[in-house]
């Protein structure tokens, strides 16, 4: 992607973030302070850093399900502080962030870092911060997202061991800020322990972010896989009270080849779907932030009505303590009264048991009364400010022209993720055969442009591909520099964009450069179709499929 396109994409993201900050500070924060949102929901006020933060992906699961191995697979290398083994090796929360050098950052330092969104973790105390660390390393993946590795959830007698901090509350804190929550399960141990169940319980309200992985599925045969998959869905159905079934990805999510190839094609498709989910996170980041802010506004508005109602029921002089105790004991009826009076949704109310405990630590007489002008500010956000901001983001009603105007030619950043054909029993198209002099011409994996691909790799990377792809505008600018006529470039584009997605990956870029060179330097005509030896091996199945129709 051209540098100018990157600047446009960054500028648009910054503009949305700036507007969200202004909306929060002017319309929402005053109500949060007045009605003590931070106390009742144990959620600190938002800071500018949290609006500017990269998308976060949190991995949760029992010990030895492959969380750390999954991260290592995504990054393509080890990271500082990584510990992998069959026993509970990850004993701390680890945030993986991009940086110029490999190092670990202690939790206390990380929680006060001015450019990272972890200041709110101070409330969990020194015992937690000593088990929290940052792992910094240079990574193309971490330039776009932040990964959060959590301690393995314990089972059996081990779960009775006191961690020294409230594990579920910390998970809840990260869940509020995460763009994606990945629950990992081992195909050999599907039991959901008490600690895992309580952890899943605190994810209530974030079901749209949760994706499940059934890992190490290559270690069982096809019949066993069907049984295990069904058992996992049954267990999740009992644990997560939702009419919808969670998306479960099945496979073996690490770099090692599959132990059995019975389900290799299925695992490859599942991994591809999951990686696509991860790759588009940066593009959806602005929508996710708006979504989370809408959730917060609805909770703040409901809290304001609750606090205002409790304040209005208090006597002015005598019997305050007695009246407070009566209101707390009658809280279900209080909630129903407020819900009917102000036409609020039941799902916007706090958990009644937790809220009752919080109320016992307060004095209702010190509450602030309801201010309708603040309620109106919150309504303005839901009916005016945020809908207008959503109009600036891509939607299905956009034409190609308006979509380009919103996204910029960059189309948004994407996360470069691993694609390794050898893992699934296939020969990787980028890997030479065992013969040091190359493959024979009759072999399926022979590619006449292999050496050109190596030579052009550096120039392709210099164009700034996002997620391994050049945007249409960047590719167009490169082709225009050849000086060829528009009709010739149209033909070259049609031949080179083999998968017809409008973007050039490295191999398609090589084909385009080969065709341009053949016309400009050697004066050859543009062929009606590409010879099979020029088509990258990874693209040949696409052409075979087309020939079937």
């Amino acid at each position: 992607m051209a540098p100018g396109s990157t600047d446009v994409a960054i500028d648009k993201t910054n503009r949305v973030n700036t507007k969200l900050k202004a909306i929060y500070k002017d319309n929402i924060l005053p109500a949060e302070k007045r009605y003590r949102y931070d106390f009742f929901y144990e959620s600190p006020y938002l800071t500018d850093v949290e609006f500017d933060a990269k998308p976060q992906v949190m991995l949760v699961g029992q010990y030895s399900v492959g969380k750390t191995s999954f991260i290592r697979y995504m990054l393509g290398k080890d990271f500082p502080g990584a510990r992998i083994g069959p026993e509970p090796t990850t004993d701390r929360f680890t945030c993986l962030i991009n940086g110029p050098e490999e190092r670990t950052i202690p939790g206390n330092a990380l929680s006060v870092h001015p450019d990272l969104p972890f200041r709110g973790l101070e409330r969990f105390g020194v015992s937690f911060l000593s088990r929290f660390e940052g792992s910094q390393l240079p990574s193309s993946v971490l330039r776009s997202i932040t990964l959060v590795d959590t301690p393995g959830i314990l089972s059996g007698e081990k779960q009775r061991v006191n961690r020294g901090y409230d594990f579920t509350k910390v998970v809840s804190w990260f869940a509020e800020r995460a763009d994606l929550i990945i629950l990992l399960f081992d195909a050999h141990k599907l039991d959901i322990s008490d600690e895992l169940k309580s952890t899943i319980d605190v994810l209530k309200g974030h079901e749209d972010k949760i994706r499940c992985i059934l890992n190490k599925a290559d270690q069982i045969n096809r019949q066993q896989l069907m049984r295990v998959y069904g058992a996992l869905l049954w267990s999740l159905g009992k644990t997560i009270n939702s009419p919808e079934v969670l998306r479960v990805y099945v496979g073996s999510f690490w770099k090692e080849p599959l132990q059995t190839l019975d389900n290799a094609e299925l695992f490859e498709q599942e991994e591809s779907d999951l990686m696509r989910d991860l790759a588009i996170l940066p593009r959806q980041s602005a929508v996710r932030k708006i979504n989370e802010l809408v959730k917060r506004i609805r909770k703040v508005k409901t809290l304001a009505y609750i606090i205002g109602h409790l304040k209005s029921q208090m006597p002015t002089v005598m019997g305050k303590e007695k009246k407070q105790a009566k209101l707390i004991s009658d809280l279900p009826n209080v909630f129903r009264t407020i819900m009917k009076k102000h036409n609020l949704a039941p799902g916007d109310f706090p958990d009644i048991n937790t809220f009752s405990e919080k109320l016992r630590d307060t004095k209702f007489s010190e509450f602030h009364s309801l201010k309708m002008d603040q309620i109106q500010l919150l309504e303005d956000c839901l009916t005016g400010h945020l809908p207008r901001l959503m109009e600036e983001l891509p939607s299905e009603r956009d034409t190609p022209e308006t979509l380009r105007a919103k996204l910029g030619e960059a189309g948004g950043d994407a996360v470069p993720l691993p694609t390794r054909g050898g893992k699934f029993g296939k020969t990787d198209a980028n890997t030479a055969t065992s013969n040091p002099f190359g493959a024979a011409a009759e072999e399926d994996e022979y590619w006449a442009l292999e050496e050109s691909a190596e030579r052009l790799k550096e120039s392709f990377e210099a164009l700034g591909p996002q997620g391994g792809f050049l945007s249409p505008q960047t590719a167009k600018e490169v082709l225009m520099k050849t000086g060829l006529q528009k009709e010739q470039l149209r033909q070259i584009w049609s031949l080179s964009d083999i998968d017809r997605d409008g973007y050039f990956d490295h191999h398609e870029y090589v084909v385009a450069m080969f065709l341009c060179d053949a016309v400009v330097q050697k004066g050859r005509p543009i062929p009606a179709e590409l010879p099979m030896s020029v088509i990258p091996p990874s693209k040949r199945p696409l052409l075979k499929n087309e020939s079937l129709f």
Side-chain angles (χ1 to χ4, degrees):
M1 182 173 58
S5 300
T6 304
D7 293 341
V8 169
I10 293 173
D11 183 58
K12 289 180 181 294
T13 301
N14 290 341
R15 206 156 56 231
V16 170
N17 288 343
T18 300
K19 290 180 180 179
L20 282 175
K21 291 177 202 173
I23 291 170
Y24 176 73
K25 289 179 180 177
D26 297 341
N27 296 50
I28 306 166
L29 185 58
E32 286 189 2
K33 290 181 176 179
R34 182 176 180 85
Y35 303 110
R36 300 178 64 184
Y37 179 88
D38 62 326
F39 170 75
F40 286 106
Y41 280 94
E42 296 186 1
S43 177
Y45 307 130
L46 299 178
T47 62
D48 287 352
V49 176
E50 289 176 280
F51 285 100
D52 295 329
K54 300 171 187 174
Q56 288 187 21
V57 178
M58 179 172 69
L59 289 90
V60 180
Q62 297 188 123
Y63 71 91
S64 192
V65 295
K67 297 187 298 296
T68 306
S69 296
F70 177 81
I71 292 175
R72 189 168 66 172
Y73 179 49
M74 280 188 63
L75 301 180
K77 57 183 175 181
D78 285 319
F79 58 90
R83 289 174 289 275
I84 296 174
E87 73 282 4
T89 49
T90 303
D91 63 344
R92 59 192 63 218
F93 282 81
T94 304
C95 290
L96 287 91
I97 55 178
N98 187 53
E101 59 182 2
E102 294 193 5
R103 64 187 178 111
T104 58
I105 305 173
N108 285 284
L110 206 60
S111 67
V112 296
H113 197 293
D115 299 325
L116 296 174
F118 303 123
R119 185 172 292 275
L121 291 169
E122 293 174 329
R123 63 174 50 214
F124 297 111
V126 176
S127 59
F128 164 72
L129 293 176
S130 64
R131 294 175 176 84
F132 173 54
E133 71 178 14
S135 180
Q136 178 184 288
L137 69 157
S139 167
S140 56
V141 172
L142 297 178
R143 279 202 294 267
S144 302
I145 61 175
T146 297
L147 298 172
V148 180
D149 191 12
T150 61
I153 294 175
L154 305 176
S155 59
E157 289 297 321
K158 301 188 205 73
Q159 66 188 357
R160 294 184 172 85
V161 176
N162 185 9
R163 293 181 184 270
Y165 60 92
D166 194 322
F167 178 79
T168 54
K169 284 187 177 180
V170 176
V171 170
S172 176
W173 188 93
F174 277 106
E176 281 189 13
R177 290 151 182 81
D179 290 67
L180 201 66
I181 302 167
I182 297 180
L183 278 176
L184 287 98
F185 296 90
D186 188 327
H188 293 91
K189 48 179 184 182
L190 295 180
D191 61 304
I192 296 180
S193 66
D194 292 343
E195 189 174 38
L196 179 56
K197 186 181 184 307
S198 62
T199 302
I200 293 175
D201 287 343
V202 301
L203 300 179
K204 183 181 179 182
H206 303 293
E207 288 85 358
D208 57 318
K209 302 179 185 179
I210 299 176
R211 304 290 185 274
C212 295
I213 288 179
L214 179 58
N215 203 11
K216 306 181 184 181
D218 62 321
Q219 299 175 18
I220 55 179
N221 62 37
R222 189 170 299 175
Q223 184 182 25
Q224 291 171 330
L225 177 60
M226 290 177 62
R227 292 173 177 170
V228 167
Y229 183 78
L232 176 59
L233 291 181
W234 180 79
S235 298
L236 288 173
K238 292 184 64 178
T239 307
I240 299 176
N241 296 320
S242 172
E244 299 177 355
V245 178
L246 291 177
R247 176 65 164 99
V248 178
Y249 298 95
V250 183
S252 176
F253 296 89
W254 66 338
K255 65 179 181 179
E256 299 302 325
L258 301 181
Q259 291 191 18
T260 58
L261 297 176
D262 291 353
N263 302 301
E265 188 175 346
L266 169 66
F267 295 162
E268 186 174 14
Q269 292 171 352
E270 290 285 284
E271 183 171 309
S272 177
D273 288 349
L274 174 60
M275 294 306 172
R276 194 178 298 117
D277 253 5
L278 291 166
I280 63 174
L281 276 181
R283 300 179 191 175
Q284 297 178 333
S285 179
V287 177
R288 177 67 68 187
K289 287 173 183 174
I290 293 174
N291 183 58
E292 291 303 310
L293 200 58
V294 169
K295 285 184 190 177
R296 194 174 179 104
I297 292 170
R298 296 179 71 89
K299 290 196 286 188
V300 171
K301 186 175 77 167
T302 302
L303 178 64
Y305 281 124
I306 294 171
I307 298 300
H309 178 83
L310 295 176
K311 173 69 174 178
S312 67
Q313 298 299 306
M314 293 298 290
T316 53
V317 183
M318 302 290 290
K320 293 181 180 180
E321 291 183 3
K322 187 176 179 180
K323 182 63 175 177
Q324 176 170 329
K326 184 179 179 181
L327 286 169
I328 292 175
S329 63
D330 196 35
L331 201 56
N333 288 325
V334 170
F335 276 15
R336 277 192 289 272
T337 300
I338 296 170
M339 183 171 61
K340 291 179 180 178
K341 181 178 179 181
H342 301 288
N343 195 28
L344 300 174
D348 294 340
F349 282 77
D351 178 78
I352 198 164
N353 295 322
T354 306
F355 197 72
S356 298
E357 292 299 320
K358 289 287 185 182
L359 288 176
R360 291 188 178 91
D361 295 333
T362 62
K363 291 184 178 180
F364 290 9
S365 57
E366 296 176 357
F367 285 170
H368 291 288
S369 57
L370 186 66
K371 285 183 68 174
M372 290 309 298
D373 58 339
Q374 285 190 332
I375 297 294
Q376 187 58 49
L377 287 175
L378 297 175
E379 286 291 347
D380 290 344
C381 292
L382 296 173
T383 59
H385 302 314
L386 293 179
R388 281 195 294 272
L389 199 55
M390 284 293 292
E391 289 176 1
E392 297 183 22
L393 301 174
S395 74
E396 60 183 10
R397 294 180 298 175
D398 285 321
T399 64
E401 290 73 22
T402 58
L403 192 62
R404 280 195 291 271
K406 289 179 179 181
L407 285 174
E409 297 296 347
D413 290 339
V415 182
L417 295 166
T419 52
R420 295 184 175 90
K423 170 181 168 181
F424 300 101
K426 300 177 180 179
T427 302
D428 195 327
N430 292 314
T431 305
T433 61
S434 57
N435 190 322
F437 297 101
E442 65 270 13
E443 292 184 23
D444 289 342
E445 297 302 322
Y446 170 73
W447 187 30
L449 304 183
E450 190 75 59
E451 292 184 6
S452 299
E454 289 297 323
R455 190 178 70 255
L456 292 172
K457 182 70 174 176
E458 189 173 337
S459 65
F460 177 76
E461 293 295 339
L463 293 169
Q466 293 297 314
F469 296 91
L470 295 179
S471 69
Q473 182 62 25
T474 304
K476 177 183 175 183
E477 290 171 1
V478 173
L479 294 180
M480 291 289 288
K481 289 178 182 178
T482 62
L484 293 175
Q485 297 176 8
K486 184 176 180 181
E487 179 58 27
Q488 290 175 307
L489 294 177
R490 186 190 65 77
Q491 295 176 46
I492 289 174
W493 184 285
S494 295
L495 290 170
S496 305
D497 185 18
I498 300 168
D499 53 15
R500 301 289 185 265
D501 64 351
Y503 290 78
F504 274 3
D505 62 17
H506 175 222
H507 288 171
E508 291 171 326
Y509 169 77
V510 171
V511 173
M513 293 297 99
F514 165 76
L515 293 173
C516 290
D517 182 65
V519 176
V520 175
Q521 300 294 334
K522 300 174 183 176
R524 295 176 182 170
I526 300 172
E529 59 182 33
L530 291 175
M532 189 58 68
S533 61
V534 172
I535 301 171
S538 61
K539 305 289 183 182
R540 290 172 191 169
L542 297 174
L543 299 181
K544 290 178 183 176
N545 291 338
E546 286 181 5
S547 66
L548 295 176
F549 297 96

